[in-house]
Amino acid sequence: MKRALPVVALSIAGLIPLWRYAPSSGTTTTTEVAAPASTPSSSSSSSSSSPSSSASSSASQVVQGSTVNTSKGAVQVEVTFEGDKISSVRMLQQPNHPQTTAAVPKLIQETLQAQSADIDAVSGATITSDGYVTSLQAALDAKG
C-alpha cells in the first residue's frame, strides 16, 4: 500500500502533459525568399532613373497558387514574376511542423534556381513538399 500511492501520484503527474497536449491546428507563418540576382539589378536600376523603376514594377506579377490540403495541413504559395522569371516565392499557408519550417527555405531556393516546379522533395517533409509543388504548379499554370 505504501508503494501504491506514489505510483498513482506519479502516473497522474506523467499523464497531465498528455491531457493538456493540443495538436497543431494547421497553418501558421509566412516565409518569403527573393532571388538574390534580381534584387541588386532592380535596386540599381531604380536608383538611376525613376521611369525604369516604374516600368519594372508594372512588369512584376503576383500569382497565388491553389490551396492544397495535406494530411499535415494546408499549403499555399504566392509567386512573384518579373517578366517570365520567378523572382520570389512566399508561403501563404504551411503546416506548423518543425520539418516544414526547415524545408520551406530549401523548397523556395530550389524553385528560384530551377525556375519551374520541377524540383526535388525535401527529405523528412515529403508531404509538405508535394503540396508545395502542387500549389506552385497551379500558380505557374495561372500565369500562363
Side-chain angles (χ1 to χ4, degrees), residues 2-3 18-19 27 44-47 58 64 66 99 110 121 142:
K2 289 182 181 182
R3 287 187 187 173
L18 292 175
W19 291 329
T27 60
S44 64
S45 66
S46 65
S47 64
S58 65
Q64 290 183 358
S66 60
Q99 296 91 345
E110 281 193 37

Side-chain angles (χ1 to χ4, degrees), residues 41-128:
S41 65
S42 65
S43 64
S44 64
S45 66
S46 65
S47 64
S48 63
S49 65
S50 61
S52 67
S53 68
S54 64
S56 66
S57 65
S58 65
S60 67
Q61 180 181 7
V62 178
V63 180
Q64 290 183 358
S66 60
T67 302
V68 179
N69 292 314
T70 68
S71 60
K72 300 289 184 185
V75 176
Q76 184 181 23
V77 300
E78 179 181 82
V79 183
T80 303
F81 294 94
E82 296 292 334
D84 288 334
K85 184 179 179 189
I86 299 172
S87 61
S88 69
V89 179
R90 185 170 72 124
M91 293 293 287
L92 298 177
Q93 297 182 48
Q94 70 185 46
N96 185 20
H97 286 84
Q99 296 91 345
T100 299
T101 304
V104 167
K106 294 175 186 175
L107 291 168
I108 291 173
Q109 193 62 36
E110 281 193 37
T111 301
L112 295 174
Q113 288 176 355
Q115 290 294 305
S116 73
D118 186 22
I119 60 173
D120 293 331
V122 175
S123 179
T126 306
I127 294 170
T128 300

